[in-house]
Amino acid sequence: MATVLNYHVGDELTYKPGNSRVKVIHSTLKPGGVNADEATVWVETKLGTPIAIPYAKQDRYLTTEPPLPKPKKWPLPKQ
């Protein structure tokens, strides 16, 4: 497990699998990260869907960086 970042309610993060911004709504991490193995962070998508992510796997799902730019679509051939 990499460094455990303590997220606070209201923090804006990027959810990597969906490449979208989410907002932290709840965190069960205790001060000092003493329960990092079983703690979870709850985030909410723009559609209002809550997602629980274990702190032990946070690097796989969350990042503080902005979302990646969307790839450009290929232009359709002229007919």
Side-chain angles (χ1 to χ4, degrees):
M1 181 170 70
T3 305
V4 175
L5 298 175
N6 187 6
Y7 302 121
H8 303 286
V9 174
D11 285 353
E12 293 275 333
L13 305 171
T14 300
Y15 182 61
K16 289 181 182 180
N19 194 34
S20 60
R21 297 298 280 176
V22 294
K23 185 181 276 191
V24 176
I25 56 174
H26 183 69
S27 173
T28 61
L29 189 67
K30 292 182 181 175
V34 294
N35 67 333
D37 293 339
E38 63 266 354
T40 58
V41 59
W42 286 82
V43 295
E44 184 178 44
T45 64
K46 289 187 178 186
L47 297 175
T49 306
I51 302 171
I53 299 168
Y55 268 96
K57 303 280 184 182
Q58 71 177 354
D59 293 341
R60 184 175 180 184
Y61 297 103
L62 296 173
T63 183
T64 55
E65 297 175 5
L68 298 172
K70 294 183 179 182
K72 294 183 179 180
K73 295 182 179 179
W74 288 90
L76 293 173
K78 293 186 178 182
Q79 296 184 3

